[in-house]
Amino acid sequence: MNVTDQKAINDAAWKACDTFRGTIDPSQYKDYILIFLFWKYISDTWVDHLASYARQFGGDSERLRRRMERERFVLPEGTSFSDLYAQRNADNIGELINIAFQAIEDRNKGKLEGVMTGVDFNSTNNLGETADRNRRLQSLFKDFGDAKLDFRPSRFDGDAQAEDAIGETYIYLIGQFASDAGKKAGEFFTPRKVSELLVRLANPQPGARICDPACGSGTLLVRAAEYVARAQNVETTKADVQLFGQESTRQTQALARMNMFLHGLDSARIEWADTLNSPKLIAGDALMRFDTVLANPPFSLDKWGAETAAKDRFHRYHRGIPPKSRGDYAFISHMIESAKLHEGRVAVIAPHGVLFRGGAEGRIRQALIEENLLDGVVGLPAQLFPSTGIPVCMVIFDRAREKGGARAGADDVMFIDASRDFVPGKKQNQLSDTQLDRIVAAWTARADVERYAAVVPRAKLAENGYNLNIPRYVDTFEAEAEIDIAAVQAEIVALEAELTSTRARMDAYLRELGVIA
């Protein structure tokens, strides 16, 4: 499928949002739109496969039934999009949708439990009184009935291409909702180029176990799978990875699970709970360990659970307990303890404060550097996120650098200042592919680049009190060109002479016209 087709699909899906825009906050209506999109996709796939197998098996209804029972998602009779579309003018259409979603979830409980029924389509509070609610839902059915939103695999080049289309549309919509929702969006979305950059710096390999402990809608995990798939030259659905995530918000966790399904990553395990206070990715009495841990956690989270951290049964805070009003190092501590000993890599997006703030954070930072875990820091431009206008950084840790690891001899830290490289936007700045490539090339080369990158011995970090503020190590100052005073004076004299001559000619013209005596 070409880019134009994808854009047409995206535009049609975004147009469907007009049903709610201006009447319901984006943080609410995104759930209705996204679950409708998911339902439309599994319905189209079901109908398409049903027709295909019906042709294959002729009139053998029993063989057809048995084959459809093995479908990826089984739709009970009367629960498809087209079934409900035919009833869209019913007075109780919201209730009928709820009943259909419950039936689909019950039939596919192992995969869809909690995914389809987290949104109430019969809600007076969210969708209005009966007449308004019915009008909105009827409009939604009409919008999703658009021919551009037909995701039958036969319309594409098979199931894989249909998944590519629906998956990209899903992430496109999440990004649009994030822009609309502003600061409320930080909980569920990381911009595409930022996600791609973090994954490239984390560099997960085929066979990797990858975890995002603050996964939001799961975009980072999708990008990680795509990265590995490209390395293997296979479709994303065939990437040799195991994906794990945890999300504290129930409905956002449902979005993440749908995101996995829509990208064919059905085996991904996405848990629902507060990672810092109730980690679910555990093995026995210990945290599960991963090859790659990456995340864009909430910035400077207040009330993250500092009061119970000293008694943490997983001993995640042995380097120190972060301040109760800033949970940045709580997430970092969790991520490092979740990485495999002697080999796991950690990549985290964080506010610049983690690089230089003192107190408990300074002590934790010092311990991480002294343990030789810090691999590098990348400074990024401001206004890359819908949730904040501040510039952010990416901090990379590598447990292969610790004693006993393959990189234990490494004794320097990479600093890159990419804060001036961006494509300006009205609401958000963007990173281009060229800018991403420049960052990754500098990271890979691990060499000094004037006013851009520096490889710094750990001893120098100690000399600076373990302060990682990037300008201390990457000098971006550009000296202004020296001014030739004599040349400037000569230019002024010449301009004054030219002005005098011009005034004399003007006076002569005005006298000829009789304007002046």
Side-chain angles (χ1 to χ4, degrees):
M1 187 181 65
N2 62 42
V3 174
T4 303
D5 292 336
Q6 184 68 63
K7 184 179 184 304
I9 294 170
N10 292 351
D11 290 347
W14 186 235
K15 183 178 179 295
C17 300
D18 289 338
T19 297
F20 296 113
R21 197 175 288 115
T23 59
I24 301 175
D25 190 273
S27 63
Q28 289 182 304
Y29 74 67
K30 76 177 193 305
D31 299 330
Y32 291 93
I33 295 290
L34 292 172
I35 198 167
F36 233 72
L37 186 67
F38 178 72
W39 178 41
K40 182 65 161 62
Y41 168 68
I42 63 174
S43 294
D44 286 352
T45 303
W46 174 266
V47 169
D48 203 43
H49 287 183
L50 180 64
S52 175
Y53 292 131
R55 289 192 299 271
Q56 179 180 340
F57 299 138
D60 194 334
S61 59
E62 181 58 25
R63 288 185 67 192
L64 177 61
R65 183 192 64 78
R66 289 200 306 267
R67 181 58 188 84
M68 295 305 293
E69 287 290 313
R70 299 197 300 273
E71 277 290 284
R72 182 181 173 206
F73 299 105
V74 177
L75 268 61
E77 186 176 354
T79 63
S80 74
F81 176 86
S82 58
D83 290 326
L84 273 293
Y85 184 88
Q87 303 176 65
R88 66 189 182 280
N89 293 320
D91 291 338
N92 64 333
I93 185 59
E95 181 185 9
L96 294 177
I97 295 173
N98 284 348
I99 292 171
F101 282 8
Q102 184 67 64
I104 294 172
E105 191 172 292
D106 289 344
R107 184 61 182 80
N108 302 271
K109 192 173 288 290
K111 285 186 174 181
L112 296 182
E113 186 172 12
V115 171
M116 303 290 290
T117 56
V119 177
D120 183 1
F121 281 83
N122 205 35
S123 169
T124 300
N125 289 337
N126 289 340
L127 299 178
E129 297 293 341
T130 302
D132 287 336
R133 180 167 67 249
N134 288 347
R135 175 177 54 80
R136 289 183 179 125
L137 293 176
Q138 289 159 10
S139 179
L140 201 58
F141 272 108
K142 180 180 178 182
D143 290 336
F144 275 89
D146 189 313
K148 297 185 184 70
L149 295 178
D150 180 351
F151 293 106
R152 287 175 297 167
S154 60
R155 177 175 173 255
F156 298 85
D157 187 16
D159 287 33
Q161 195 182 82
E163 283 176 357
D164 286 344
I166 185 70
E168 283 306 302
T169 298
Y170 190 82
I171 290 181
Y172 165 79
L173 285 180
I174 290 175
Q176 296 301 313
F177 288 129
S179 297
D180 272 11
K183 290 187 177 181
K184 294 180 181 179
E187 69 183 31
F188 63 84
F189 180 72
T190 304
R192 182 184 184 111
K193 293 302 179 185
V194 179
S195 298
E196 290 179 358
L197 177 59
L198 190 71
V199 169
R200 291 175 70 178
L201 295 178
N203 192 28
Q205 298 298 302
R209 286 159 54 96
I210 303 171
C211 175
D212 182 346
C215 70
S217 57
T219 303
L220 271 175
L221 292 173
V222 171
R223 298 304 176 208
E226 290 174 343
Y227 179 86
V228 173
R230 283 193 296 272
Q232 295 180 283
N233 195 29
V234 298
E235 297 169 350
T236 302
T237 58
K238 298 179 181 177
D240 182 16
V241 290
Q242 297 178 61
L243 303 178
F244 300 81
Q246 185 164 335
E247 169 55 39
S248 61
T249 305
R250 180 58 162 171
Q251 193 52 41
T252 305
Q253 183 241 9
L255 296 183
R257 291 173 64 193
M258 283 189 279
N259 204 359
M260 298 302 112
F261 293 138
L262 293 175
H263 285 86
L265 302 169
D266 293 19
S267 62
R269 175 181 168 185
I270 309 294
E271 296 287 350
W272 168 43
D274 180 341
T275 289
L276 299 181
N277 294 286
S278 183
K280 296 297 183 183
L281 298 173
I282 58 177
D285 292 329
L287 295 174
M288 292 176 66
R289 298 279 188 169
F290 302 96
D291 299 285
T292 306
V293 186
L294 69 175
N296 174 25
F299 294 166
S300 301
L301 183 64
D302 191 12
K303 300 177 182 177
W304 58 269
E307 61 279 359
T308 60
K311 298 179 181 179
D312 178 55
R313 69 188 181 102
F314 302 107
H315 309 292
R316 289 171 289 177
Y317 310 111
H318 59 87
R319 299 177 185 89
I321 297 175
K324 64 180 181 181
S325 60
R326 287 195 297 268
D328 301 308
Y329 271 101
F331 281 105
I332 290 173
S333 297
H334 171 86
M335 293 172 72
I336 289 173
E337 297 308 308
S338 297
K340 286 183 178 179
L341 295 170
H342 306 146
E343 57 181 301
R345 284 178 66 80
V346 171
V348 60
I349 300 170
H352 275 265
V354 304
L355 304 178
F356 56 79
R357 289 193 296 244
E361 292 180 299
R363 292 188 291 274
I364 297 170
R365 186 170 59 247
Q366 177 177 340
L368 292 170
I369 295 170
E370 288 178 340
E371 292 174 36
N372 200 24
L373 296 177
L374 180 64
D375 201 28
V377 178
V378 178
L380 296 176
Q383 290 185 274
L384 289 178
F385 290 83
S387 52
T388 178
I390 65 171
V392 299
C393 62
M394 292 181 177
V395 188
I396 314 300
F397 300 92
D398 190 352
R399 300 208 66 156
R401 293 173 57 117
E402 65 188 340
K403 187 177 181 180
R407 295 183 63 204
D411 200 43
D412 54 43
V413 175
M414 186 73 197
F415 286 85
I416 297 176
D417 185 349
S419 60
R420 295 166 296 168
D421 286 357
F422 60 90
V423 179
K426 291 182 179 180
K427 293 183 178 180
Q428 275 181 251
N429 294 326
Q430 306 287 335
L431 295 175
S432 68
D433 288 333
T434 301
Q435 289 156 353
L436 260 64
D437 290 343
R438 185 187 183 197
I439 294 170
V440 175
W443 180 270
T444 304
R446 211 168 181 87
D448 291 353
V449 179
E450 187 177 5
R451 292 193 296 276
Y452 188 73
V455 182
V456 181
R458 277 198 304 146
K460 188 171 182 179
L461 305 185
E463 290 174 9
N464 284 327
Y466 301 96
N467 187 317
L468 302 179
N469 205 11
I470 298 173
R472 284 177 176 257
Y473 308 103
V474 182
D475 184 3
T476 59
F477 176 75
E478 296 187 38
E480 295 183 7
E482 291 187 6
I483 299 174
D484 187 335
I485 300 298
V488 173
Q489 179 61 27
E491 185 178 358
I492 291 173
V493 171
L495 289 172
E496 287 178 340
E498 185 179 346
L499 179 61
T500 299
S501 175
T502 300
R503 282 174 173 166
R505 289 198 305 273
M506 180 63 73
D507 287 346
Y509 294 147
L510 292 175
R511 279 193 293 271
E512 279 185 31
L513 295 171
V515 176
I516 60 175

